[in-house]
Structures are given as structure tokens and as C-alpha cells.
Amino acid sequence: MINIKKEEISTFRTKSPKKIAIIYPPYGSIDNEPGLKVVKDNYGIFPSLSLLYVAGCAKGAGHDVLFLDVNATLISKDEVLNQLKHYQPDYIFYTITTYQLKENLDWLIELKKSYPCSVVVGGVHMGIYPEETMRHKEIDVGFIGECDVMDYEAFSKVPGIIYRKEEKTYKTKSSPVLMNVDNAHLPATQLYALYLKEFQHDYWREFVKNPKSQIAIQRPGCTMPDEEIQAYCKQAYLEFYYRPNYVFKALLRVKSFSELMRSVKVAFQMRSSG
């Protein structure tokens, strides 16, 4: 097992550098959408800092990285495939989300048919359903937790992963918890060409260096003003919390007159602000 201390993560270097393609698949509204479709469709584009953090760890460890944000650029699967064939990665990384698992799998399965290389997945979902996710044979490796240690000489030596070998899956010991984020790599925001091209500066890196800066967060592709987004959110909250069934259950939980008055006051404030 790779023995690496938490404070050494930022200085770790692999002895076997690879070419890694990181793909952020389309992220839109779906059936049984847990969020607001109108907001999801019009909220704009934010850099995927979680995947850019993975890219930062990979670059910091000595790997070469290609970052493809399909959600932002809306490029087709054919264009993604063309870039993969040109870049020739050794591994392709995807982020997996629970409620978009089907859509995520559709992407990686179709791309793997045309470009068969090792597929690595990660995200909060993998920390909850690692074994279940690895039942999909197209997935070769899953990160459980953070992707701090980027080494691929032998998966059995990398902490915090689940991997496939000869039709069986194996889990390694948990990866060390990074207690001080100053010892981690910065997200590789320099790879986010779309954002940099439109706004001419790396907001995220500037903010990390100076959290007190007053640079406004901009959203490429946003078609709604903040006021309209907030109005839709308030409307959704009202529709949710004023459902008869929800109100009835809330009243059953009230244990005193003062608590009832507080609940009525909060409900009145919500209605007034909406």
C-alpha cells in the first residue's frame, strides 16, 4: 500500500505518469427531477470544481490531463470521441451522481464501445454505492472519497478505491483524510478554457488566493437574472411547504402554544416574502 501522509499529498509524484481524460457529462433536468427544471435549464454554467480538483491532483502528481466539460460546451458524443482518439488517454474519468446515474452510464458505456480504455468514476455517489456501481462492467475503477493520490502502477496499492480484476472487485483501505486543505492541490482551473476565454481571468484561483475579494461570480450561458431565479425558488418553496399533507404533519409535531405561534409567524413571513 502506498504510505502517504496527509501533509504530503501536495508533494506526491507518480513514478508512472499517464494521460488522463476527465469528462463532465451533460447535466440537465431529468425525469423525477429533484430540483426546479426551469432553474436547472437556465441557471448558467459553473466550472466543475470537483473535477477540476481531480485534474489538479492528477497534474500535480505528474500526469497529463485533458478536461472536457460537455455540460458547458454542449459538444456531441462524436466530437468527444474525436478528441479522445486524438489525445489517446490511458484512463477516462467521469463524475457519477445518484439521480443521474442512468444518463452518466449511457455516456461512458457508449464512449467505451468506441474508445475502449480504462474507465474511472468518482463522486459522492461512489461513497454510498461503491459495490452496486461496480456491477456495471464498463467501470474499471471507482474512487471512494477524495481523489488525492493519483498512482496507477498497481491499483491494489492505492488507498480509497474499488477496482475490478478478473471479473471480481476489490476495495483497498480508506484513503487518509485531508485535514488541512492548504496541503492539497488547487483545482486545475487553467484547464477551463471556456470560462477563461469569456471572462479573461481565473475567478476561482483568484478567490482562493484572496477570499475577501469582491469579484462577482459570473455564469456563462445564464438566461435569467438573479431576481427571477430567486422568485422561482420562492414559489417552489411555498408550493412545497404549503401542501395540505405537509401542513397537517407539521401541526402534529407542535407541542406547545408558543411553538404554534412561531410556526404561524414563519409561515406568514414565507408567504409575505413570496
Side-chain angles (χ1 to χ4, degrees):
M1 182 67 66
I2 295 174
N3 185 18
I4 182 169
K5 297 179 180 179
K6 295 186 287 292
E7 64 271 14
E8 294 174 341
I9 288 176
S10 62
T11 59
F12 173 77
R13 298 294 181 273
T14 182
K15 296 179 181 178
S16 179
K18 304 293 184 182
K19 297 181 73 174
I20 297 173
I22 299 178
I23 298 178
Y24 188 41
Y27 179 78
S29 57
I30 59 174
D31 293 337
N32 302 314
E33 171 62 53
L36 291 172
K37 183 178 186 301
V38 66
V39 174
K40 183 71 70 66
D41 291 343
N42 298 278
Y43 197 63
I45 304 300
F46 281 100
S48 174
L49 286 184
S50 57
L51 280 183
L52 288 172
Y53 169 69
V54 174
C57 290
K59 287 177 66 66
H63 302 291
D64 191 70
V65 180
L66 170 69
F67 183 79
L68 297 175
D69 190 339
V70 181
N71 183 57
T73 58
L74 300 179
I75 57 178
S76 66
K77 289 180 182 176
D78 289 338
E79 176 58 27
V80 172
L81 182 59
N82 288 337
Q83 293 198 43
L84 291 177
K85 289 180 177 179
H86 180 264
Y87 182 66
Q88 293 288 302
D90 301 298
Y91 296 92
I92 300 178
F93 279 48
Y94 298 88
T95 187
I96 294 289
T97 57
T98 303
Y99 69 91
Q100 284 201 306
L101 181 61
K102 178 182 180 299
E103 288 76 14
N104 297 155
L105 288 173
D106 287 344
W107 261 84
L108 69 86
I109 289 173
E110 187 169 340
L111 287 178
K112 188 163 187 176
K113 288 179 181 178
S114 301
Y115 188 86
C117 78
S118 296
V119 168
V120 183
V121 299
V124 176
H125 172 87
M126 287 303 297
I128 305 172
Y129 303 110
E131 290 87 359
E132 294 85 346
T133 305
M134 292 299 292
R135 291 174 187 167
H136 298 278
K137 304 298 183 181
E138 294 81 7
I139 299 174
D140 300 287
V141 184
F143 272 92
I144 304 172
E146 303 293 344
C147 302
D148 294 315
V149 180
M150 292 285 185
D151 200 297
Y152 303 102
E153 292 181 89
F155 285 123
S156 61
K157 296 182 180 180
V158 179
I161 69 168
I162 182 169
Y163 65 98
R164 189 184 312 283
K165 183 178 181 181
E166 297 177 355
E167 301 303 318
K168 293 184 179 181
T169 57
Y170 302 87
K171 289 174 67 175
T172 62
K173 73 174 185 179
S174 300
S175 59
V177 177
L178 185 64
M179 302 303 294
N180 184 356
V181 295
D182 288 338
N183 293 326
H185 293 284
L186 284 175
T189 49
Q190 67 272 23
L191 296 176
Y192 205 83
L194 174 76
Y195 205 83
L196 295 178
K197 181 179 180 181
E198 182 159 349
F199 296 111
Q200 307 302 316
H201 66 85
D202 189 337
Y203 163 81
W204 304 100
R205 191 167 293 267
E206 291 175 18
F207 180 80
V208 168
K209 292 180 178 179
N210 182 17
K212 295 182 179 180
S213 62
Q214 300 298 316
I215 304 173
I217 300 177
Q218 297 161 305
R219 298 195 296 268
C222 182
T223 59
M224 281 187 178
D226 289 346
E227 294 78 9
E228 190 171 355
I229 291 175
Q230 292 172 6
Y232 275 114
C233 289
K234 288 181 180 179
Q235 179 182 342
Y237 291 146
L238 288 173
E239 291 177 357
F240 179 84
Y241 288 111
Y242 277 84
R243 291 174 300 156
N245 186 46
Y246 184 90
V247 173
F248 178 71
K249 290 182 178 180
L251 290 174
L252 289 178
R253 292 194 295 268
V254 172
K255 299 185 182 301
S256 67
F257 179 75
S258 60
E259 186 177 346
L260 173 62
M261 294 306 296
R262 284 198 301 271
S263 299
V264 172
K265 182 178 180 181
V266 170
F268 179 77
Q269 290 174 341
M270 287 180 61
R271 174 64 70 179
S272 300
S273 63

